[in-house]
Amino acid sequence: MVSITANDLKTKGVSVLESALRQDGEAVITVRGELKYAVLDFNTYNKLREYELDIAIQEARNDIAKGNYETGSVDEHMKRVLG
């Protein structure tokens, strides 16, 4: 993964990000030597979000299959949530 310093980003702008993404498809921005931000192109971001949502759906299906859910009214739910 390409590493970009915050200073490089500040002085070179978006072009340094574009160059890094062309090389590796992702980059990390460091601030004072510390890994701080991950950058990826929007298509890759959307894929990751889709994977995340697929996992959430599968977890919900597993909970339903195991009977790990509750039914009731909105008021009952709010009482459970708010205590």
Side-chain angles (χ1 to χ4, degrees):
M1 184 180 302
V2 177
S3 181
I4 302 167
T5 66
N7 192 54
D8 279 346
L9 183 58
K10 183 176 156 183
T11 59
K12 298 176 184 172
V14 175
S15 65
V16 73
L17 290 175
E18 290 172 342
S19 174
L21 293 176
R22 271 194 306 275
Q23 284 180 35
D24 196 29
E26 53 191 33
V28 65
I29 298 172
T30 60
V31 179
R32 295 182 196 89
E34 207 176 310
L35 300 177
K36 200 72 170 173
Y37 304 100
V39 181
L40 35 117
D41 67 63
F42 205 70
N43 288 332
T44 304
Y45 170 78
N46 279 334
K47 280 184 191 177
L48 291 175
R49 289 291 294 149
E50 284 181 35
Y51 297 150
E52 187 177 48
L53 293 171
D54 287 343
I55 290 168
I57 289 168
Q58 188 57 49
E59 288 173 349
R61 287 180 177 153
N62 290 343
D63 281 344
I64 290 168
K66 292 177 186 174
N68 188 18
Y69 63 92
E70 296 188 33
T71 60
S73 69
V74 172
D75 289 335
E76 291 169 333
H77 173 70
M78 294 307 295
K79 285 178 186 173
R80 279 194 308 273
V81 171
L82 298 175

